[in-house]
Amino acid sequence: MQKSRTPFRLRALCCLLSAALAGPAWPQAAKIDDSAAARAAESNVRLPALGESASDEFNLNAEKRIGDQIMREVRRDPDYLDDPVLLDYLQSLWQPLVRAARARGDIDRDSDGLFPYEAFLVRDRSVNAFALPGGYVGVHLGLIGITSSGDELASVLAHELSHVTQRHIARSVVAAQRSSTLSLVAMVLGVLAASRAQSTDMAQAAIVGGQAAAAQAQLNFSRDMEREADRNGYNLMTQAGFAPGGMAAMFEKLDSANRINDSGGFPYLRSHPLTVDRVGEARQRASTSGAATPRANPLRHALMQARSRVLMDASTQALRRQQETVPRNDATPTQRLAAHYTRALASVRLRDFTLADEALAAGTPLLADAEGRSAWAQLAGETAIARGQAPRAAQALATLPADGTRSQLLLRAQLALLAGDPAILRDSTEALQAWVAEHRGDAGAWRALAGTSERLNQPLRSLRAQAEAQAALGDLQGAMDRLRAGQQLAKRGGPNIDFIEASVIDARLRDLLAQRRQLIAEQRGPERGPRTSDPE
């Protein structure tokens, strides 16, 4: 990633900010200044008491609408990363925390029915994670890259989940009396853009003339909220089975980074500033909790840490540096295996398959458990598919357990497309269809289904799957265009037209049109009213 690259769809952000400026006025400032932001926060923002609920002006429905609006922009950003292997690992940490939050009553029935409680990846080298309205938590690859264990990463996820379940964002927004939906969306996107910007000038461009002071005051939670998220997050992670020392170990890393002068690589320290009390409390909890067996497999974490370091920067120069990774003489078997994984994956990305094969062969003797063997077989399958070697890929994937993970599902779909065998394509299509029936927002699975359906000469199913993929990414217009293409194809008729699928396309188009009308009404505001019609 080039440092000058505009982060998180800055052009869309500027449009949102322009619209927001037509609404309630934002405090103006000449330029971004951290101390000014802090003074503004202290003088202008009164957070509710910790027991006070968010007001009706920012209820669960409003928070969901705003979160969904933000995610429509985030999902279309090039740095929104859908890497099935890393996401499977992230989910293995995230889902136990969500289940623990439900068991504790932190997630009640109302919010559970509205919020998706979704963790997602951002391709960025900086160490950061953030909570968004509506149950979304973003994780930068740089954060995964510095964590030494899954328990450390789980501690950050638990902390961010606690910001969501304790409704810290909503309570901060209510205190600042920001009632305009567009202003709120622009505020959150602006802070995200500024936190990822590599220079002050870029941050100023994102916030348009220094409006970051008010926005940062919204998202920089009070010290009391940070401590509440620490305590609640600690209880969540321990109830979910993670080692309690993970939070203290993570704080040690952040504290060290803080003391050696963060130069921009740790935006998490700016949005979640460490205090002596927070660090001390984490250390005290770790010292009194006793030892516990880590829930996350250490080898799997090491390999996923290696994967994050390769994927966080897609430039040729960075990949060549990763390709030159060699194990130290005193490295442990896990560290040596991670080094070979790094070399192999970087080589695949550079299409240097000879070196990728060498790295895979060098790591194979070090595989000591099922987790390692599965990760290695999956990487071998990825390598073979990238080379266009279907038999070799099939051989690698045959050694994987049928665990129903998303990464396996999508990898087998790639193999089906590469092999072109009708029976394999049908099996993959049926598996994908069953998956998207339960995971309607999975754009990657819909795209895979579009590909396998097209190869099976099922044009309507393929077009509908393409439309669903676009809808999942927030591109309603693109989705409707594909559905209309499906309608036109159905009208022409033919031997491969499934009229049941045609009926589904008609119904889905009506649904998306209704969604777009609702979005237009929300953006126009209640004082102007919705349009009476929407062009078909």
Side-chain angles (χ1 to χ4, degrees):
M1 180 192 305
Q2 302 297 320
K3 286 190 176 182
S4 61
R5 187 187 174 284
T6 304
F8 261 116
R9 301 182 64 81
L10 186 57
R11 293 176 186 172
L13 165 64
C14 290
C15 293
L16 284 169
L17 282 168
S18 298
L21 289 173
W26 287 79
Q28 300 295 316
K31 61 181 180 179
I32 295 174
D33 179 76
D34 289 341
S35 60
R39 289 194 298 272
E42 291 174 358
S43 61
N44 297 329
V45 178
R46 183 196 67 80
L47 289 175
L50 287 181
E52 183 178 338
S53 62
S55 79
D56 291 338
E57 294 179 359
F58 199 63
N59 57 26
L60 291 175
N61 288 317
E63 186 172 349
K64 175 180 169 53
R65 286 197 303 272
I66 292 166
D68 290 347
Q69 211 168 335
I70 294 167
M71 286 304 298
R72 277 192 290 273
E73 297 300 326
V74 170
R75 287 192 180 102
R76 286 182 283 177
D77 188 275
D79 285 339
Y80 173 83
L81 179 65
D82 182 4
D83 181 73
V85 176
L86 266 181
L87 277 173
D88 274 354
Y89 180 60
L90 188 68
Q91 287 300 314
S92 74
L93 306 178
W94 173 254
Q95 289 302 325
L97 295 171
V98 174
R99 289 193 293 269
R102 289 192 181 104
R104 285 168 46 82
D106 295 343
I107 297 178
D108 59 26
R109 183 175 299 178
D110 291 337
S111 65
D112 203 10
L114 282 174
F115 294 176
Y117 290 102
E118 174 185 334
F120 62 93
L121 295 168
V122 179
R123 189 199 303 272
D124 197 295
R125 291 173 293 182
S126 61
V127 177
N128 201 13
F130 50 90
L132 294 176
Y136 299 99
V137 169
V139 179
H140 286 204
L141 295 193
L143 175 68
I144 302 175
I146 70 152
T147 54
S148 301
S149 69
D151 301 291
E152 290 180 10
L153 180 55
S155 74
V156 178
L157 295 174
H159 179 99
E160 296 305 317
L161 178 57
S162 295
H163 278 317
V164 175
T165 61
Q166 304 305 303
R167 302 207 67 212
H168 288 164
I169 297 174
R171 285 147 59 182
S172 297
V173 167
V174 168
Q177 298 179 345
R178 303 297 182 198
S179 59
S180 166
T181 296
L182 280 176
S183 295
L184 289 169
V185 172
M187 173 195 75
V188 180
L189 284 172
V191 172
L192 291 178
S195 73
R196 298 186 61 220
Q198 300 296 323
S199 68
T200 302
D201 291 341
M202 189 179 297
Q204 287 174 330
I207 305 303
V208 188
Q211 295 173 7
Q216 192 67 49
Q218 294 284 3
L219 287 187
N220 281 355
F221 303 119
S222 73
R223 291 184 177 184
D224 285 342
M225 285 186 173
E226 285 302 319
R227 292 175 67 181
E228 182 180 59
D230 288 344
R231 290 191 296 270
N232 200 73
Y234 174 84
N235 292 331
L236 275 182
M237 67 178 293
T238 53
Q239 183 164 335
F242 294 101
M247 180 171 286
M250 193 67 215
F251 273 26
E252 296 283 355
K253 279 188 172 64
L254 294 173
D255 192 33
S256 296
N258 197 29
R259 284 187 280 105
I260 62 174
N261 187 21
D262 170 29
S263 59
F266 284 72
Y268 197 73
L269 290 171
R270 295 193 293 275
S271 60
H272 297 71
L274 291 178
T275 64
V276 174
D277 289 343
R278 290 183 66 206
V279 175
E281 286 182 10
R283 289 171 177 163
Q284 183 179 12
R285 292 189 194 103
S287 64
T288 58
S289 61
T293 302
R295 177 190 180 104
N297 182 283
L299 176 56
R300 187 183 183 193
H301 182 81
L303 298 182
M304 294 304 98
Q305 181 187 44
R307 191 176 184 91
S308 295
R309 289 173 175 171
V310 173
L311 298 182
M312 67 176 64
D313 191 336
S315 67
T316 300
Q317 183 179 6
L319 290 173
R320 292 203 184 283
R321 285 197 303 270
Q322 298 289 357
Q323 191 182 38
E324 295 167 359
T325 301
V326 293
R328 300 191 315 268
N329 291 332
D330 61 344
T332 66
T334 293
Q335 291 169 337
R336 296 178 68 83
L337 193 60
H340 293 311
Y341 189 101
T342 300
R343 293 179 64 222
L345 182 60
S347 298
V348 171
R349 296 280 160 161
L350 290 167
R351 303 194 68 77
D352 185 348
F353 297 118
T354 299
L355 188 53
D357 286 343
E358 290 178 5
L360 286 168
T364 300
L366 300 172
L367 299 172
D369 64 16
E371 289 266 13
R373 287 190 291 273
S374 292
W376 217 250
Q378 200 157 36
L379 181 57
E382 287 183 69
T383 304
I385 288 172
R387 298 183 73 165
Q389 297 178 338
R392 188 173 176 180
Q395 183 180 10
L397 298 187
T399 66
L400 291 173
D403 57 6
T405 58
R406 179 176 182 266
S407 58
Q408 281 198 34
L409 177 79
L410 297 184
L411 198 57
R412 294 183 191 281
Q414 291 180 50
L415 172 59
L417 289 169
L418 179 61
D421 183 276
I424 299 176
L425 282 166
R426 280 194 295 272
D427 289 344
S428 181
T429 299
E430 290 174 5
L432 287 165
Q433 191 71 58
W435 177 272
V436 296
E438 295 185 8
H439 306 84
R440 296 198 51 145
D442 190 338
W446 281 113
R447 283 194 296 266
L449 179 60
T452 59
S453 299
E454 184 177 12
R455 290 292 295 274
L456 287 172
N457 203 14
Q458 298 173 345
L460 285 186
R461 177 181 282 188
S462 179
L463 281 169
R464 186 204 161 200
Q466 292 175 40
E468 296 291 0
Q470 293 304 113
L473 293 173
D475 181 7
L476 295 186
Q477 187 58 54
M480 290 188 293
D481 288 344
R482 284 160 178 79
L483 291 174
R484 290 186 177 112
Q487 286 181 325
Q488 293 301 316
L489 183 61
K491 287 179 182 178
R492 291 197 295 269
N496 297 313
I497 298 303
D498 182 342
F499 289 99
I500 294 178
E501 195 70 42
S503 298
V504 173
I505 286 175
D506 291 340
R508 189 68 175 120
L509 181 58
R510 289 193 296 270
D511 181 48
L512 291 182
L513 285 167
Q515 286 186 37
R516 189 173 68 171
R517 283 193 291 269
Q518 180 64 32
L519 285 174
I520 292 172
E522 290 173 0
Q523 291 170 0
R524 289 171 63 86
E527 70 282 358
R528 298 173 64 183
R531 291 179 179 178
T532 56
S533 63
D534 190 22
E536 294 291 325

